[in-house]
Amino acid sequence: MINLVCPTLNLFVYHLQEEWVRDATHPEYCGPNILEQFTQTLGQYGGDRSSLSQPKPLDFLEVTHFDKSAVEFEGKLNTQNRINGSVRQFTLDENYGLALNLSVDGKFIGPEVVQCLDVMLTLIPEMDNLPGKLGQTLMVSGWVENPEKDEREILANDVYKALINKGWQYQETGQFLGGTVFEFWRSSPQRWEKMEAASHLVLILYPNQKAMETGAEFHQDWKALFCYRNKILWAYGQSRELKNQMVEEFNEMSDLIKGLYHLEFSELKLALQNNLLALSNFVKNINSIEVRQHEIDLNLHHYEKSVQSIAKKAGNVFQVSNDLKFLQEFSAIVKAKYQKQIEQDYASLRPYLNILENLRGTITSIVEISQAQTDRDFQTFACLAGTGIGIAAVVASSSPAWVIPLKESPTIAATLDQLKVPEPWTNFSLALSLSAIAGLLGCLVASVCIAWFCPKRLAIKGDRLP
């Protein structure tokens, strides 16, 4: 039966530096606090408890070093196997993260491997919901004894289920320093689409102790490689989410376009404000997609250089077979799928931007026309009112010359008697009445002239043609 000797677990968690370090709304997630929380977790295993009647699997732990960037500890597993570990902060380019390292001395057979990994899992701090998280990768390694046919793959499946709690969906294999490499992950609906968070695991089964000790020298290389891989996957996922969001927002604006010519003036102004907001968001998002495209290009360049560096270094330090095609396949997928998809998304979204810009111009023109019609209505009213008042004033000012002869007219006199208008008010009543009649007639004549000599206008919203 296959034996796994000195199992080692490495967890690399990557974050956007500005999100994690500078996020004042989540002070509990800042690096130093995570290290402090981790030391508190270790504290429950403090002290030598080997004398207890029912010792726990993780029997003893002691913090040997603690500062703002790292925690180191050591202890015992099952009272006999020594365990060593550390948690360190690190920065890589504009990214930030934590690296957890756990190693156990000893030989583990069959189910003992899963039990050992279960204990290691209890020491991993909770970091699933940290802000600005890019992704993470688990790496498990060790050297194997007495491997029989297909036992390596059986062991790999057991390791993945023990750490991820689900079976893998996709697998790649390779060779590194003479050992077998397994890469597992989960994604849906396709092999390289929407990879599940925290599902990526790499297992290296070295052929002997010397190969494993040599492999430990590649720790920084793997950490950088997985950082670039997770950054690419994050950037691609962000671009797809932005694209879907932009299409939904445009579809909402499409409903507005259909009823655009049947809106009241106040509704048009609101539509213009909404369009300006949508256009601003659309420009912001399409620029973000372009930024994600540049991030994929840059990190792909770093990823390929890292693969070349690992391959060259492995070939120089250990003259055994190395097959890293599974790492190179990821580069090919990024070029053939991710980069092409973002280019297509960017090209397909540009016409939407043009439509929104044209829509803004259309709404602005309709608003200006409606505003002009409103202003014109007011000016027409002012003109008619001024004309009527002016004519009435002229008639009233000339009343002394015609009001007395008019009052002596038999018809007017009879009318005044019938209405029982007091004598002191007769002159005023006649002057006021005739002035009002003259003013109304003047308004009527002026409105006819305006309608005749001025161009037609769209009077109501129903008159607008789409």
Side-chain angles (χ1 to χ4, degrees), residues 419-440:
L419 295 175
K420 299 180 180 181
V421 178
E423 180 63 26
W425 290 91
T426 55
N427 292 349
F428 175 76
S429 298
L430 286 174
L432 178 62
S433 299
L434 292 178
S435 298
I437 293 173
L440 291 175

Side-chain angles (χ1 to χ4, degrees), residues 119 192 248 272 274 308 461:
V119 175
W192 296 101
E248 291 178 1
L272 179 59
N274 293 336
Q308 295 172 4
K461 63 179 183 180

Side-chain angles (χ1 to χ4, degrees), residues 204-269:
I204 305 178
L205 301 177
Y206 294 101
N208 50 55
Q209 182 177 359
K210 182 179 180 182
M212 182 174 177
E213 292 174 350
T214 303
E217 300 174 3
F218 289 78
H219 181 270
Q220 297 296 328
D221 301 278
W222 291 117
K223 182 174 69 175
L225 180 76
F226 296 141
C227 178
Y228 303 134
R229 181 187 189 276
N230 280 281
K231 187 64 176 290
I232 290 172
L233 293 173
W234 174 84
Y236 178 70
Q238 289 287 305
S239 71
R240 299 300 292 159
E241 290 181 6
L242 285 171
K243 192 255 186 178
N244 293 334
Q245 175 185 338
M246 294 166 71
V247 171
E248 291 178 1
E249 292 177 351
F250 179 80
N251 290 336
E252 292 177 359
M253 293 300 298
S254 297
D255 296 334
L256 171 64
I257 296 175
K258 297 177 182 178
L260 182 62
Y261 293 93
H262 302 284
L263 298 178
E264 297 287 357
F265 179 64
S266 59
E267 295 173 328
L268 282 171
K269 291 199 296 184

Side-chain angles (χ1 to χ4, degrees), residues 66-294:
F66 173 71
D67 58 30
K68 292 183 178 180
S69 61
V71 177
E72 297 178 1
F73 58 93
E74 60 183 23
K76 292 181 180 179
L77 180 68
N78 293 324
T79 71
Q80 55 184 357
N81 302 105
R82 176 162 291 279
I83 181 171
N84 295 279
S86 64
V87 178
R88 300 180 184 277
Q89 300 180 50
F90 66 87
T91 57
L92 185 62
D93 299 331
E94 75 279 12
N95 307 311
Y96 185 88
L98 283 181
L100 170 68
N101 174 266
L102 296 170
S103 62
V104 180
D105 295 337
K107 182 187 303 183
F108 299 86
I109 303 173
E112 295 178 352
V113 175
V114 174
Q115 295 174 4
C116 178
L117 293 175
D118 287 339
V119 175
M120 289 182 173
L121 279 176
T122 63
L123 296 177
I124 297 179
E126 179 62 39
M127 293 180 288
D128 289 341
N129 298 319
L130 297 182
K133 184 175 180 180
L134 295 174
Q136 69 177 52
T137 294
L138 271 168
M139 172 177 273
V140 179
S141 59
W143 59 282
V144 293
E145 291 181 342
N146 307 322
E148 297 181 2
K149 184 179 181 181
D150 298 331
E151 283 192 328
R152 288 186 178 88
E153 188 166 350
I154 294 174
L155 176 61
N157 291 332
D158 293 340
V159 168
Y160 190 86
K161 289 181 180 179
L163 294 175
I164 309 299
N165 295 324
K166 294 180 180 179
W168 55 268
Q169 289 180 312
Y170 301 103
Q171 169 188 327
E172 292 288 343
T173 58
Q175 297 287 321
F176 179 66
L177 299 181
T180 304
V181 182
F182 295 89
E183 182 183 24
F184 302 102
W185 71 92
R186 296 177 58 85
S187 62
S188 62
Q190 300 176 10
R191 180 181 178 88
W192 296 101
E193 191 78 17
K194 292 185 178 180
M195 295 191 180
E196 291 186 14
S199 72
H200 185 226
L201 183 144
V202 175
L203 172 65
I204 305 178
L205 301 177
Y206 294 101
N208 50 55
Q209 182 177 359
K210 182 179 180 182
M212 182 174 177
E213 292 174 350
T214 303
E217 300 174 3
F218 289 78
H219 181 270
Q220 297 296 328
D221 301 278
W222 291 117
K223 182 174 69 175
L225 180 76
F226 296 141
C227 178
Y228 303 134
R229 181 187 189 276
N230 280 281
K231 187 64 176 290
I232 290 172
L233 293 173
W234 174 84
Y236 178 70
Q238 289 287 305
S239 71
R240 299 300 292 159
E241 290 181 6
L242 285 171
K243 192 255 186 178
N244 293 334
Q245 175 185 338
M246 294 166 71
V247 171
E248 291 178 1
E249 292 177 351
F250 179 80
N251 290 336
E252 292 177 359
M253 293 300 298
S254 297
D255 296 334
L256 171 64
I257 296 175
K258 297 177 182 178
L260 182 62
Y261 293 93
H262 302 284
L263 298 178
E264 297 287 357
F265 179 64
S266 59
E267 295 173 328
L268 282 171
K269 291 199 296 184
L270 179 60
L272 179 59
Q273 294 175 357
N274 293 336
N275 173 262
L276 291 174
L277 179 60
L279 180 61
S280 175
N281 290 335
F282 205 90
V283 172
K284 177 183 176 182
N285 289 336
I286 203 170
N287 289 337
S288 296
I289 289 180
E290 188 174 9
V291 171
R292 299 294 171 258
Q293 184 179 23
H294 291 323

